[in-house]
Amino acid sequence: MTLKTLLPGTTGATGQQLTLGVMGGGQLGRMFVHAAQAMGYFTAVLDPDPASPAGRVAHYHVQTAYDDEQGLAQLMQRCDAITTEFENVPAPALLTLGAHRPVAPGAHAVAVAQDRLKEKAHFVASLPTSGIAPAPYAAIESDALLAAVPADLLPGILKTARLGYDGKGQVRVKDRAELATAWDRLGRVPCVLEKMLPLKAECSVIVARGADGQAVSYPVQRNTHVDGILAVTEVFDGALPAVLCEKARAATIAIAHQLQYVGVLCVEYFVIDDGSADGALVVNEMAPRPHNSGHYTQNACDVSQFEQQVRAMAGLPLRAVRQHSPAIMLNVLGDLWFPDGAHSKPRSPVWDQVLALPGTHLHLYGKLDARPGRKMGHLNITGGSVAEVKATAQSAARLLGLPALA
């Protein structure tokens, strides 16, 4: 269905206050809901969890499975446009919704992001002359394809073609024997083997694209992962070589245009050591939604990634991006509530001491139970200079018991 301009504070096709819906009730949905409500929209969330972070703050919570026909019908009745907050929402459900309401991003874009093989093929088609490509890879969907894996792809990383995130569904393998064992351990589902490359850094780019083809890009974010989960994002001049940043931003916009994407899209890259001073970019994966690495935009930019998500799906003009402060984002996991070990009694981190530091902005997600490894929130740190932000981030990490920043 064609996306129309939905002006905040007016009555929509449903006969009620204009309502924006989101498939998924996690923290990204919660922050989308907050952004939409700040602009004057009503909000609805579809999520099966009665205590979902987004469902607890939305005007309406449709508590059903993502493929439940009655739940989808309720969401359509409530909403004038619908988005998603995570890539594993069933694409057929988005297709059903899209037949009756504007859905951004659309089912096709989400389906591409859900399948690593389709995703890599899309990257190749989008970036034919950029010099940026995925890591060398091979599909493994049968014993014959397993046996035919080229020797030069080992050592590598075996990844499930679908449903992998935060390092899940991934196994490092050194040789053919480990590869065969790993495929068995992953249930012999369709997988992708990617060649291990000499990694210098990781980064990501967030773009917002409207139905009219307008696209705006945020600065390149340098990311540090621990055990497959994002731990730190740094965004300031000099965090990465300028030439790589320009290439990454241009590539991300090209990927969005090739998909005819509408909404907020994040594309992740590896910076590999190719013998040059700056290194080279390898495109890794994309997320058809706002991204953990873009949370700094809430406090360091004129317009956050979540407001851009609202603007794109409502057919409003996208804002040109201005980052007004250097920023570092620290991910807050449930481990911080268990400084004495996972089996100890949880206690709140020393937020009073952390928030006494200059330029600290705490965002907790309203999750009722802290668990090790669970994303509970994030801490944005801004300041007048890179040195100031780095010093504050080091102090915050020390107070929270996090590893020292590099």
Side-chain angles (χ1 to χ4, degrees):
M1 179 169 286
T2 303
L3 190 66
K4 298 179 180 179
T5 301
L6 305 174
L7 296 178
T10 58
T11 300
T14 61
Q16 60 190 4
Q17 184 90 356
L18 269 172
T19 301
L20 303 182
V22 57
M23 292 282 279
Q27 62 265 18
L28 296 174
R30 181 185 179 94
M31 288 180 274
F32 162 79
V33 165
H34 284 154
Q37 291 175 347
M39 295 177 69
Y41 295 100
F42 276 33
T43 54
V45 169
L46 189 150
D47 190 284
D49 182 0
S52 69
R56 294 174 66 208
V57 299
H59 293 88
Y60 310 109
H61 180 190
V62 181
Q63 188 188 329
T64 67
Y66 298 115
D67 57 358
D68 181 83
E69 292 183 2
Q70 291 186 351
L72 295 175
Q74 288 182 50
L75 192 67
M76 284 186 283
Q77 290 166 4
R78 290 285 190 190
C79 297
D80 297 275
I82 299 165
T83 188
T84 180
E85 66 118 30
F86 73 113
E87 56 265 47
N88 289 329
V89 167
L94 296 179
L95 196 62
T96 298
L97 293 171
H100 303 276
R101 292 286 184 269
V103 174
H108 170 67
V110 175
V112 170
Q114 287 177 344
D115 187 307
R116 293 186 190 278
L117 291 169
K118 292 180 180 178
E119 186 178 62
K120 291 179 186 299
H122 176 73
F123 291 154
V124 171
S126 302
L127 307 170
T129 61
S130 68
I132 301 173
Y137 70 95
I140 299 178
E141 300 174 293
S142 65
D143 288 320
L145 289 174
L146 178 67
V149 165
D152 63 359
L153 290 186
L154 293 165
I157 304 175
L158 184 67
K159 302 179 179 180
T160 56
R162 299 178 62 84
L163 301 179
Y165 65 97
D166 286 344
K168 297 177 175 65
Q170 301 185 17
V171 183
R172 296 192 177 203
V173 295
K174 295 194 296 287
D175 52 37
R176 290 188 181 277
E178 287 191 0
L179 174 60
T181 300
W183 193 43
D184 284 338
R185 189 169 28 155
L186 292 175
R188 299 174 69 84
V189 299
C191 287
V192 177
L193 176 67
E194 297 177 4
K195 181 180 178 63
M196 197 91 72
L197 298 172
L199 188 65
K200 292 185 68 171
E202 297 178 73
C203 64
S204 58
V205 181
I206 290 171
V207 300
R209 184 179 184 275
D212 60 357
Q214 178 195 11
V216 295
S217 167
Y218 284 90
V220 177
Q221 299 126 196
R222 179 170 183 146
N223 303 321
T224 301
H225 290 79
V226 177
D227 296 329
I229 300 176
L230 181 65
V232 181
T233 293
E234 301 168 278
V235 193
F236 43 76
D237 289 342
L240 286 166
V243 64
L244 291 185
C245 292
E246 287 308 309
K247 288 181 179 179
R249 293 176 78 165
T252 306
I253 290 174
I255 289 166
H257 282 322
Q258 183 76 8
L259 265 180
Q260 294 293 296
Y261 193 87
V262 178
V264 171
L265 176 74
C266 179
V267 180
E268 297 181 74
Y269 298 86
F270 297 135
V271 181
I272 64 166
D273 186 356
D274 66 345
S276 66
D278 294 333
L281 285 173
V282 168
V283 60
N284 179 33
E285 61 187 22
M286 64 183 179
R289 52 168 173 78
H291 194 260
N292 201 166
S293 65
H295 289 340
Y296 77 97
T297 64
Q298 293 172 301
N299 301 107
C301 298
D302 283 352
V303 57
S304 76
Q305 61 173 342
F306 300 103
E307 182 178 332
Q308 298 280 40
Q309 184 183 22
V310 174
R311 286 169 172 264
M313 69 181 295
L316 298 173
L318 299 177
R319 284 274 299 278
V321 174
R322 183 180 76 91
Q323 183 182 354
H324 54 70
S325 304
I328 293 177
M329 187 278 297
L330 303 180
N331 216 4
V332 173
L333 302 183
D335 306 67
L336 299 187
W337 276 253
F338 300 91
D340 300 323
H343 300 294
S344 62
K345 184 178 180 180
R347 64 175 186 265
S348 180
V350 290
W351 296 127
D352 54 340
Q353 298 178 48
V354 171
L355 292 174
L357 299 172
T360 52
H361 313 269
L362 179 63
H363 300 263
L364 294 182
Y365 303 149
K367 296 182 179 180
L368 301 179
D369 299 308
R371 297 193 298 269
R374 190 182 196 194
K375 293 177 181 176
M376 298 297 293
H378 62 272
L379 183 72
N380 287 335
I381 300 160
T382 59
S385 68
V386 174
E388 179 185 340
V389 169
K390 286 184 173 181
T392 300
Q394 291 285 13
S395 297
R398 185 168 57 253
L399 287 169
L400 294 171
L402 296 171
L405 277 65

